[in-house]
Amino acid sequence: MTNLGIIFLTGVTTGGLSCMAVQGGLLAGTLAQQVEKKEIKQRAVGTITIFLVAKLIAYTILGFLLGWLGTILQLSPTMRAYLQLFIGIFLIGTALRLFNVHPIFRHFIIEPPKVITKYIRKLAKNRDDDLATPAFLGALTIFIPCGVTQAMLLLAMATGNPFQAALIMFAFVLGTSPIFFGLVYMATRLGEKLQGQFLKVAAVVVLILGLISLEGGLNLMGSPISYAAFSAWLNQDDSANSALVATTSPTQSQNQSVETENAITIKVDDSDGYTPAVAQARAAQPLTVTFTTNGTRSCARSVVFRTLGLQKVLPESGNTQITIPSQPSGTTVKYTCSMGMYRGQINFN
Amino acid sequence: MQTRNYKVVMRCSSCAMILEGLEDLSGIEKVIANYKKEQLEIVFDETMIAEVDILEAIEKGGYQVSP
C-alpha cells in the first residue's frame, strides 16, 4: 500500500495552500459573524475544530466509498493497469502544474460545477450563530477538492480496497489540519514566498506518488520498461546456473527457488513481496505454485497473473495453491500484486 | 452594464473560486474566472462601482491583474 507517511506529508504541505485558500476563506466567513461577541478565540477554536472534524469524517467516508467502488467494478488486471497508468500521469501532470512548468499542465485539474461553489459560498455567509454551519461547510468541502486532494482521491480509488482508501484520505486530510487550523485561527495568510516553498514541496511529493503509480501500472502491464523489470533482468543474469530438475543438486542462490516435481513455493510478506522473485520451472507440464503467507496484510496478498487471466486473493496466513497451465520452453510468466508494486516471474525451461 | 476581461495570475484552481467571490461586491453582476486560461470576466454596473475599485479588490486579494 502507498506509504501513509508520504500521504500525510502531502497533506501537511498542502494544508496551507489551495485547501486553506478556499476553505479557509469560507470558514473565515462564518467566524466573522462572531467578531462582536465575547470570547472570540474560544468560539473560533470550537468552530474551526468542528469544521475540520466534519471535513475529516466526510473525506474518510468518501475515500471508503471510492475504494468500495473500486471493488464492485471488479476491474480486470488490464483495466486496473490502465487506471494506474492514468493516475500516475495525472499525478505527474499535477506536480508539473504545481511547479508551473507550462500552462498546458493547467488542464490537469477537475473543476467542480459553478453551482456547487456558488452554493457553498452562500452557505458560508450564514448569519445563524450555531455550530451546524461550520460542520455542514466542513462536510461540503468534498465538493470543492483542491488539485492535490483530487490526486489523493484517485489514488484512494485505485487501491480497490475501501479500508485502505479510507485510510489514505484520513491520513491526507489529517495532514492538512494543523496548518489549516493555525492559519485560520490567526487569520493570517502565508507570505507569497513561503507559499511558493510549500507548493514546491507538495509538488515533489505528488511527483513521487505519480512515479510510484506509473511504475505500478507498467508492472501490471508486464511492461519491460519499468524499474522493477530492469531489476529483475539484472537478477536473471545470476540465475544462469540454477538447477531445473529435482534430481540434481539445487543451486542455493538467495533469489532463486529450489524446484522439485514442477512445484514451487513462494513466500509472500509485507516487506519483500514475493520470495524468490525469480523462479525456475519445467516447461511442457503444469506447474503447482504454493503461495505461503504469514500475517501478510499488504497488497502482495492479491496476486495477478495478467497474461494468464488469473487473479487470487491470498489469506493473511496459510498456503494457497495455484496451477499454471503447461508452458512452452523459453516462456516467462510474470505476476504482480494488484497494485503492481511487487512483482515476480517464473521462467519455464 | 459594462463587461471587462482581465488577465489574472492564478496559482491554483481554487483561485478561480475565490475570485468569483467578487460577485458579492455591490454593483458586480457576474464574475467568470477561468483558471486554465488565467482569465477573469466581470460584468458590472458602472454607476454602482468603478473599475478602479474592482481592480483594487482583486489586488487586495493578492492577485496580479492586467487588462
Side-chain angles (χ1 to χ4, degrees):
Chain A
M1 187 177 70
T2 307
N3 193 316
L4 285 177
I6 297 176
I7 304 284
F8 181 80
L9 179 64
T10 311
V12 169
T13 53
T14 61
L17 300 168
S18 49
C19 293
M20 162 66 193
V22 175
Q23 297 162 12
L26 292 175
L27 187 59
T30 62
L31 285 175
Q33 315 308 324
Q34 293 142 23
V35 163
E36 294 171 3
K37 297 188 189 304
K38 292 180 183 176
E39 295 163 351
I40 296 168
K41 291 244 183 271
Q42 287 90 326
R43 203 60 203 267
V45 168
T47 302
I48 301 169
T49 303
I50 289 168
F51 176 92
L52 289 173
V53 169
K55 182 182 167 186
L56 187 63
I57 292 170
Y59 271 105
T60 303
I61 292 171
L62 179 61
F64 185 90
L65 290 174
L66 286 174
W68 177 68
L69 189 70
T71 58
I72 65 166
L73 287 178
Q74 293 188 345
L75 298 170
S76 68
T78 302
M79 283 173 67
R80 189 180 293 281
Y82 281 122
L83 180 64
Q84 288 271 117
L85 287 173
F86 170 76
I87 288 168
I89 291 168
F90 184 85
L91 286 173
I92 291 169
T94 300
L96 293 174
R97 177 172 63 80
L98 292 173
F99 277 124
N100 211 19
V101 168
H102 190 277
I104 200 167
F105 294 108
R106 284 173 176 258
H107 291 279
F108 285 85
I109 193 83
I110 303 166
E111 290 177 293
K114 300 284 184 191
V115 64
I116 288 178
T117 57
K118 210 166 184 172
Y119 172 74
I120 291 173
R121 264 210 317 275
K122 269 199 180 131
L123 183 68
K125 293 190 180 331
N126 187 350
R127 299 201 73 89
D128 288 347
D129 183 22
D130 62 48
L131 300 177
T133 300
F136 200 40
L137 263 181
L140 282 182
T141 56
I142 58 171
F143 293 108
I144 47 169
C146 66
V148 182
T149 308
Q150 290 174 15
M152 293 299 119
L153 288 168
L154 278 178
L155 259 182
M157 188 171 70
T159 63
N161 181 312
F163 295 102
Q164 282 182 13
L167 267 178
I168 284 173
M169 292 318 299
F170 181 85
F172 174 72
V173 177
L174 189 68
T176 68
S177 302
I179 291 178
F180 190 105
F181 185 100
L183 288 174
V184 175
Y185 183 72
M186 292 185 294
T188 57
R189 246 192 290 197
L190 282 177
E192 191 83 21
K193 256 190 185 167
L194 197 56
Q195 194 162 0
Q197 300 301 325
F198 265 93
L199 259 176
K200 285 200 173 79
V201 176
V204 169
V205 178
V206 171
L207 186 64
I208 291 169
L209 288 170
L211 290 170
I212 290 173
S213 189
L214 199 65
E215 167 77 2
L218 289 171
N219 282 332
L220 275 169
M221 295 288 285
S223 169
I225 61 171
S226 70
Y227 173 75
F230 178 67
S231 297
W233 175 75
L234 284 178
N235 283 333
Q236 252 184 312
D237 288 342
D238 296 334
S239 70
N241 295 320
S242 66
L244 294 177
V245 296
T247 53
T248 61
S249 299
T251 301
Q252 295 296 326
S253 169
Q254 193 177 0
N255 217 24
Q256 303 303 307
S257 71
V258 176
E259 180 260 348
T260 55
E261 297 183 353
N262 225 33
I264 58 174
T265 298
I266 295 173
K267 191 177 137 208
V268 184
D269 64 39
D270 292 337
S271 52
D272 298 322
Y274 306 112
T275 309
V278 179
Q280 309 292 329
R282 281 202 199 92
Q285 52 183 279
L287 170 73
T288 300
V289 182
T290 302
F291 287 96
T292 66
T293 48
N294 187 3
T296 309
R297 292 206 177 122
S298 70
C299 64
R301 277 175 53 203
S302 180
V303 186
V304 177
F305 288 83
R306 193 184 66 86
T307 54
L308 301 178
L310 278 174
Q311 195 168 347
K312 189 89 181 171
V313 179
L314 309 172
E316 266 188 39
S317 299
N319 297 324
T320 307
Q321 288 189 337
I322 291 175
T323 302
I324 308 284
S326 170
Q327 301 292 319
S329 180
T331 304
T332 295
V333 172
K334 296 176 185 174
Y335 60 94
T336 67
C337 73
S338 59
M339 297 285 290
M341 288 167 61
Y342 301 108
R343 55 181 287 160
Q345 66 185 62
I346 305 168
N347 300 325
F348 290 85
N349 293 292
Chain B
M1 288 287 178
Q2 297 255 5
T3 301
R4 291 280 185 271
N5 287 290
Y6 304 104
K7 185 104 179 134
V8 180
V9 176
M10 299 187 206
R11 287 177 295 273
C12 66
S13 61
S14 309
C15 295
M17 186 174 160
I18 295 170
L19 286 164
E20 280 171 357
L22 288 167
E23 276 183 359
D24 299 333
L25 290 178
S26 181
I28 293 189
E29 175 73 20
K30 194 173 167 187
V31 177
I32 301 171
N34 188 318
Y35 160 70
K36 286 170 189 167
K37 293 179 184 170
E38 289 189 294
Q39 283 172 0
L40 189 66
E41 182 182 308
I42 300 183
V43 180
F44 65 100
D45 182 349
E46 67 275 21
T47 63
M48 292 178 68
I49 187 167
E51 186 179 357
V52 64
D53 295 327
I54 295 172
L55 293 174
E56 194 183 312
I58 295 170
E59 285 169 352
K60 208 172 169 185
Y63 298 100
Q64 294 170 34
V65 55
S66 52

